[in-house]
Amino acid sequence: RRKLEVPYSLVKSHGGRPPLAEEVLECLAIDANTFESAAGNFKTWCAEFGYPEDARAHRLHDRIGGDTLRLRKFIGKAEDYKALLAIGSGR
């Protein structure tokens, strides 16, 4: 059995209920897709998503990068990870 722990917060529209696994995985896939599309490069990532190149953006980029690495390890198989990224890209 594998375990993946990541920070996740729900918006008020969820009514305070615990997140569903599908919701968490979809959010992780979206974040991982942004990181992978910029090949992990901070400046490229900022330019693609309109972030200023400041300390706050750097912290966010680093967090997403760490989550992406943990997600890739958690998923395991490269083809499964690519399929998850396709969900994150809306394909």
Side-chain angles (χ1 to χ4, degrees), residues 10-19:
L10 292 169
V11 294
K12 290 182 182 183
S13 64
H14 285 96
R17 67 169 170 73

Side-chain angles (χ1 to χ4, degrees), residues 42 45 51-61:
F42 174 68
W45 181 82
Y51 285 106
E53 293 180 22
D54 61 11
R56 185 173 181 219
H58 215 288
R59 285 191 303 274
L60 180 59
H61 176 266

